[in-house]
Amino acid sequence: MYQHRKEIMQNVFLTYLPASKFKTSVLSAHLVTPLQKETAAANALLPAVLRRGTMRCPDMESLSAALDTLYGAQIDYTVRKKGERQCVGFVASVIDDAFAPAGEKLLEPVADLLGELFLDPVTRNGRFLAEYVESEKQNLIDAIRAIRNDKQDWADVRLMQEMCAGEPYGVLRLGDEESAARINNHKLFNHYQQLLATSRMELFYCGSARQERVQGALCRAFAALPRGVVAEGEPIRRVAAPQEPRYLTEEMDVTQGKLSMGWRCDTDDIPAMIMANLIFGGTSNAKLFLNVREKLSLCYYASSSYARSKGIMTVSSGIETGNFQQAHDEILHQLELVKQGQWEEWELQGALATMCSSLTSLSDSQGALENYYLGQTATGAEDTPEDLMAALRQVTPERIQKAAQSCRLDTVFFLKGKEETVC
Amino acid sequence: MLTNYDRIGETARWETLPNGLPVCIVPKKGFQRKYALFATRYGGMDMKFQLDGKWLDTPAGIAHYLEHKMFDTAEGNALQELAKNGAEPNAFTSNAITCYYFSSTEQFYENLKILLSFVSVPYFTDQSVQKEQGIIGQEIGMIEDNPEWQCYKQLMQGLYHHSPARTPIAGSVESIREITAQTLYDCHKAFYTPANMCLVVVGDVDGDEVLRLAEEILPKTSGPLIPRDYGTEEPLTPCQKETRSRMEVSMPTFMAGFKCPPQHGGEAQMRSTALGELAIDVLVGESSPLYARLYSQGLINGSFGSSYDILPGAAYVYLGGDSNDPHAVVRAVLDEAQRLVREGLDQAYYLRLRNANFGTALKALNSFENIAVSMAEGKFLDYDPYRFPEVYDSITAGDVLDFIRENLVEERCAVSIIDPISGETKE
């Protein structure tokens, strides 16, 4: 376990990162639960309903007033997919005590509010308020439907749904519309009680307060958290690509087509695969950017990303519908070059320098740190940014090549614009 | 000149180089990242200007096109040079400015040299300019498929009669065809001159070294600040009360805009920004009674937002998001504005919101990007962005009510709506 992560109550872990260079403190609390088709929508709905009101601040106006009084403190609910885990909870940020004009203490009241949001929601007859559930349910359904408004998001989501159909990884972060529509107040309240008792809780703090003070404030705020047997869920599984890649096409009334491609990476050498992805399409200096965009002018963007917890690499690109085949072939060709070890020394060094720079910079952003450590703790990974940097520096060209060779194309999804009709 | 800002725990050093370039260094101890931004006061709206005594009308989208092409150098491409050093370089073009920036943890001064050099030395060929049309054409295609962008474009065309605010920053596939290497050279000569630019560096850096490098690399003299033309001042009534179209969206999305008098720089403009933001928060911000009511009625959702924006020769308040009944939302906002003007503001509510806005402004100082862009904008418009605590102190509930009384009225309002392709249109 990380040096700075500590179990402060049964199955409640606090990651504490001291820093006094920021104007703010960030405090977050998440329940970590298996990502499953059956429960994803209910999990996603829960923090939205909880965010509507607590017994002390029973509506949006009084909650906002409480936060405004703390100099515009913010508490946002979040639903995140980390590997095959779904993390639901709240992220709070508040100006550091040092800048409170009247010298107020701001950490404790924010911690209290966080605790109340989880443990003391406004209820009537042992249920949530019906109007809160109904309106947030509608918002959730609207948000799921709205994914298609951003065409690249839509193409990426459709790729993942098709490629990982039947695997937890194929489940959308917010769940699906049908499951959302079936939720009612009764089911949701039961689900809430069960989730609270059976999920590991991850707390995070980054700011200038001392550890004892943070821990004290959180232990008090979460003292009433029920603790049962924690359900951790199955370890994540790597799946093999089919013999022949699957090709899927959808049509929409859009100007630009979106091409999404997914590979299964069958390697345990994660640092080498990270490097392979960076050289292929992970930076603005990568083969995809330099060739598909700059050399051939086929697109405005083409980039790849590697989900290491699941062993999947994907490419996203926006192209003219008529250029599908050319762009598709060029993307495969560029990956082939990585598999053959055909890159210049500067490509490797640039990729490494870019990655190290972004890992080093993590410590400059509370939001990035919060997200990084939640991802690590949720998926059971234990390396710090420094550990990862050290591992990347050890990677040899041979290892990169070998990792790239483990990639097999699984699914290609193309969102094409409607062909223009000739009058 | 070094200034300490005790209320926000910040320091800034401003110097002007012999060639006229203003340079700002914001020290940030304890941070690994170092950030440099090189900005020119030249944006999408600067299409008509005077160069060497002659008025030029340039194609829509040229400032943005120039931004793309600036990365080309005689030796290759500066984007790649920076990326090789592990820097994360990028650029953006807004209505009023173009900025080039990078952040890096290693080789900062080396990267700074590259930045200063590629932005100040243009290198275009007809062939490379031609080639970029494919890439930018794709970029335009991408943003045209974005419903929020279309909604904003429609709103600007509804609000303004002839202001260049009507024209999308990237131009159109047609307008960018007119761009040649020569027009790009003209625009570079007109606007990429030290007196019209600003360099901002944020991070734990040696300020003297930054100044030395800038002096060494940049031109020794500056061209003049040239006249530009944004057209005659507009009436405060919109061109078209409602603009509407259909796209592939899951539910209607809308924006309402309220025309406000243009601003002319100085601390008055900075105060106007703070006042306008505060007024719109009082009216329909997340902690307003109206927001809570509209949200619980299902008329708005988490996508709803509002702000106040100032452009060259133009200013407007806007609000919007996804809604199944945009007109009901706009009606409710107008009614609430009238109610506030009639009944006045609860002082405690007002002070709470002012504190909250102060906190939000303070939080923004965690972001090097925010700091650098606001410093450059402040220099171009002649105000000091770090004086925001004093500016907030100076705003009263009466000022806020005056702003609402004057601006948040039906005569100033235009609405833009994007409906789904399938489904009924609610009138």
Side-chain angles (χ1 to χ4, degrees):
Chain A
M1 190 156 53
Y2 293 124
Q3 231 182 345
H4 40 259
R5 181 165 170 261
K6 185 175 160 187
E7 187 166 8
I8 62 168
M9 290 163 55
Q10 187 198 338
N11 269 305
V12 177
F13 297 86
L14 168 64
T15 300
Y16 166 82
L17 300 178
S20 52
K21 63 187 179 184
F22 300 107
K23 305 293 175 197
T24 45
S25 305
V26 165
L27 188 58
S28 74
H30 302 279
L31 297 168
V32 179
T33 178
L35 180 64
Q36 291 164 336
K37 187 174 173 10
E38 300 73 34
T39 52
N43 290 337
L45 179 57
L46 196 57
V49 171
L50 295 176
R51 180 64 180 73
R52 291 297 294 272
T54 68
M55 289 309 269
R56 188 165 61 95
C57 302
D59 52 37
M60 290 175 90
E61 260 186 280
S62 53
L63 257 176
S64 297
L67 292 167
D68 288 341
T69 308
L70 303 170
Y71 298 95
Q74 244 178 314
I75 300 187
D76 297 317
Y77 73 82
T78 58
V79 179
R80 283 182 260 185
K81 173 176 164 178
K82 297 288 183 188
E84 292 183 345
R85 297 289 176 270
Q86 196 182 13
C87 307
V88 297
F90 300 92
V91 180
S93 77
V94 60
I95 64 169
D96 198 274
D97 287 0
F99 300 103
E104 302 97 318
K105 290 216 176 308
L106 301 174
L107 167 65
E108 286 77 8
V110 169
D112 287 345
L113 261 174
L114 264 186
E116 288 167 40
L117 283 169
F118 270 105
L119 304 172
D120 204 15
V122 57
T123 52
R124 193 182 294 144
N125 303 326
R127 300 269 183 276
F128 295 120
L129 296 196
E131 58 264 38
Y132 289 179
V133 174
E134 283 313 308
S135 84
E136 292 309 329
K137 185 170 135 181
Q138 189 57 49
N139 286 342
L140 176 64
I141 291 171
D142 288 343
I144 294 169
R145 287 182 184 160
I147 297 171
R148 61 183 282 136
N149 293 356
D150 185 313
K151 310 310 171 211
Q152 188 63 59
D153 284 358
W154 179 249
D156 293 344
V157 157
R158 291 287 299 118
L159 172 74
M160 236 4 92
Q161 278 183 323
E162 294 293 337
M163 180 166 160
C164 299
E167 300 168 54
Y169 204 75
V171 176
L172 289 188
R173 179 178 70 88
L174 298 175
D176 60 86
E177 192 179 328
E178 296 69 35
S179 315
R182 282 197 298 269
I183 302 170
N184 61 36
N185 194 349
H186 175 71
K187 284 188 201 162
L188 188 69
F189 198 81
N190 289 344
H191 184 68
Y192 157 69
Q193 289 181 310
Q194 195 197 351
L195 194 71
L196 215 51
T198 61
S199 305
R200 164 157 63 98
M201 180 172 257
E202 290 289 343
L203 302 168
F204 174 93
Y205 174 83
C206 178
S208 70
R210 292 162 54 89
Q211 182 156 14
E212 301 73 47
R213 186 179 155 204
V214 176
Q215 191 175 327
L218 287 168
C219 283
R220 196 186 61 201
F222 286 93
L225 183 70
R227 294 283 74 187
V229 178
V230 164
E232 273 295 339
E234 297 291 313
I236 199 159
R237 269 189 320 132
R238 275 214 303 264
V239 173
Q243 278 303 313
E244 287 298 321
R246 286 168 287 202
Y247 284 83
L248 298 142
T249 302
E250 264 180 36
E251 204 174 87
M252 257 196 212
D253 188 4
V254 290
T255 318
Q256 190 185 56
K258 306 289 180 192
L259 172 59
S260 292
M261 302 168 75
W263 289 260
R264 303 279 185 175
C265 317
D266 188 19
T267 176
D268 293 321
D269 191 351
I270 285 172
M273 191 56 225
I274 290 176
M275 291 307 301
N277 171 62
L278 288 168
I279 294 172
F280 174 46
T283 73
S284 58
N285 222 6
K287 289 188 179 297
L288 288 184
F289 187 88
L290 293 187
N291 294 286
V292 186
R293 168 176 149 139
E294 293 289 311
K295 208 160 133 199
L296 299 171
S297 297
L298 280 172
C299 63
Y300 173 61
Y301 66 95
S303 63
S304 67
S305 59
Y306 169 53
R308 56 178 167 141
S309 62
K310 181 68 181 171
I312 281 179
M313 182 172 72
T314 53
V315 162
S316 300
S317 180
I319 58 172
E320 212 168 290
T321 293
N323 287 339
F324 169 78
Q325 199 59 43
Q326 204 190 346
H328 165 271
D329 294 351
E330 187 60 29
I331 290 166
L332 290 182
H333 173 63
Q334 294 302 325
L335 181 59
E336 202 47 44
L337 295 179
V338 183
K339 291 183 177 183
Q340 293 167 7
Q342 292 192 38
W343 62 78
E344 307 283 331
E345 180 60 17
W346 61 261
E347 294 182 80
L348 175 60
Q349 290 313 322
L352 183 62
T354 304
M355 188 66 189
C356 288
S357 176
S358 74
L359 286 168
T360 307
S361 308
L362 270 182
S363 67
D364 289 346
S365 160
Q366 291 168 313
L369 285 170
E370 197 271 336
N371 192 40
Y372 177 85
Y373 280 102
L374 180 64
Q376 296 293 92
T377 54
T379 57
E382 298 211 335
D383 45 345
T384 63
E386 292 73 26
D387 296 336
L388 181 55
M389 250 188 293
L392 292 174
R393 291 209 167 94
Q394 300 297 317
V395 173
T396 59
E398 294 71 33
R399 280 171 58 196
I400 297 174
Q401 218 181 315
K402 203 160 160 238
Q405 284 162 3
S406 81
C407 299
R408 291 198 54 174
L409 183 60
D410 184 301
T411 303
V412 176
F413 180 87
F414 185 47
L415 179 68
K416 66 175 193 173
K418 289 205 171 120
E419 307 287 343
E420 283 183 23
T421 43
V422 186
C423 298
Chain B
M1 190 187 67
L2 195 69
T3 312
N4 286 312
Y5 302 84
D6 293 336
R7 290 176 69 179
I8 54 175
E10 289 287 315
T11 302
R13 175 179 175 191
W14 277 101
E15 305 286 348
T16 305
L17 296 188
N19 66 9
L21 178 79
V23 181
C24 178
I25 293 140
V26 180
K28 285 278 189 182
K29 289 264 179 261
F31 284 84
Q32 305 293 316
R33 281 175 77 206
K34 299 170 176 70
Y35 182 94
L37 174 122
F38 199 14
T40 168
R41 189 178 183 185
Y42 171 49
M45 286 174 68
D46 296 297
M47 291 180 285
K48 193 171 179 189
F49 54 87
Q50 204 182 42
L51 180 65
D52 301 332
K54 238 175 61 190
W55 280 98
L56 296 184
D57 257 316
T58 56
I62 190 158
H64 171 255
Y65 208 100
L66 181 58
E67 173 225 297
H68 270 239
K69 290 323 292 169
M70 283 314 299
F71 287 96
D72 287 1
T73 63
E75 294 78 36
N77 186 296
L79 203 60
Q80 274 111 54
E81 290 307 306
L82 286 163
K84 275 181 202 171
N85 289 337
E88 292 179 52
N90 214 332
F92 69 84
T93 307
S94 75
N95 277 296
I97 60 175
T98 310
C99 295
Y100 303 83
Y101 57 92
F102 70 86
S103 78
S104 69
T105 52
E106 306 284 335
Q107 295 180 278
F108 175 77
Y109 302 101
E110 188 52 41
N111 293 331
L112 181 63
K113 278 192 208 169
I114 299 173
L115 174 74
L116 293 167
S117 151
F118 85 80
V119 177
S120 58
V121 182
Y123 176 78
F124 317 121
T125 63
D126 281 324
Q127 195 195 3
S128 72
V129 172
Q130 182 66 32
K131 193 206 72 172
E132 202 70 17
Q133 283 190 8
I135 297 173
I136 298 183
Q138 285 304 318
E139 184 180 3
I140 291 172
M142 178 181 81
I143 54 182
E144 283 182 349
D145 284 337
N146 179 329
E148 279 158 39
W149 183 86
Q150 284 289 1
C151 194
Y152 173 77
K153 179 178 125 180
Q154 266 185 188
L155 177 71
M156 298 314 273
Q157 297 185 341
L159 277 177
Y160 292 98
H161 298 260
H162 51 71
S163 160
R166 291 172 57 89
T167 309
I169 292 165
S172 64
V173 173
E174 292 75 36
S175 74
I176 61 172
R177 285 205 193 107
E178 301 164 34
I179 295 170
T180 63
Q182 188 53 49
T183 38
L184 292 180
Y185 277 116
D186 286 343
C187 293
H188 188 275
K189 183 178 175 193
F191 296 108
Y192 285 61
T193 197
N196 190 53
M197 301 183 76
C198 181
L199 173 66
V200 186
V201 172
V202 187
D204 192 359
V205 299
D206 175 353
D208 291 338
E209 181 64 7
V210 169
L211 293 166
R212 196 187 65 74
L213 286 176
E215 213 175 321
E216 178 189 304
I217 290 169
L218 297 176
K220 300 296 167 242
T221 57
S222 176
L225 291 175
I226 56 162
R228 326 156 180 230
D229 186 3
Y230 302 117
T232 50
E233 191 164 323
E234 293 226 353
L236 287 171
T237 45
C239 170
Q240 209 179 334
K241 298 285 300 174
E242 183 173 309
T243 44
R244 200 157 190 163
S245 60
R246 289 180 184 276
M247 286 181 77
E248 288 267 11
V249 290
S250 55
M251 69 190 277
T253 189
F254 83 102
M255 284 178 96
F258 297 83
K259 265 174 123 165
C260 305
Q263 292 293 319
H264 305 286
E267 190 153 307
Q269 173 155 343
M270 180 178 167
R271 189 171 183 279
S272 168
T273 304
L275 173 59
E277 294 284 356
L278 194 49
I280 187 80
D281 279 349
V282 162
L283 181 63
V284 68
E286 272 188 52
S287 32
S288 66
L290 178 61
Y291 183 97
R293 195 170 80 228
L294 293 173
Y295 191 99
S296 53
Q297 289 172 342
L299 284 169
I300 61 172
N301 58 29
S303 69
F304 186 84
S306 56
S307 195
Y308 171 59
D309 194 17
I310 301 177
L311 303 176
Y316 58 96
V317 160
Y318 65 97
L319 50 95
D322 298 339
S323 173
N324 284 315
D325 194 352
H327 289 118
V329 179
V330 176
R331 189 69 260 156
V333 169
L334 286 166
D335 289 348
E336 178 71 357
Q338 283 190 1
R339 187 191 69 80
L340 284 171
V341 168
R342 204 169 53 235
E343 295 175 12
L345 258 183
D346 176 52
Q347 184 67 11
Y349 171 62
Y350 168 69
L351 287 178
R352 215 173 69 209
L353 282 194
R354 206 177 75 174
N355 279 346
N357 280 31
F358 166 77
T360 305
L362 186 71
K363 272 184 208 171
L365 302 181
N366 278 338
S367 157
F368 287 14
E369 292 79 356
N370 268 336
I371 291 173
V373 172
S374 58
M375 284 298 187
E377 282 178 341
K379 175 51 76 180
F380 294 150
L381 295 165
D382 193 27
Y383 61 78
D384 180 352
Y386 272 1
R387 280 182 41 79
F388 69 83
E390 289 77 14
V391 166
Y392 278 112
D393 287 349
S394 78
I395 297 172
T396 65
D399 296 332
V400 167
L401 283 179
D402 287 344
F403 186 95
I404 293 174
R405 181 183 302 112
E406 189 196 345
N407 298 301
L408 275 296
V409 291
E410 189 149 14
E411 303 82 78
R412 301 279 191 87
C413 177
V415 182
S416 158
I417 301 170
I418 304 283
D419 290 302
I421 286 178
S422 49
E424 306 262 306
T425 303
K426 189 173 164 125
E427 290 301 334

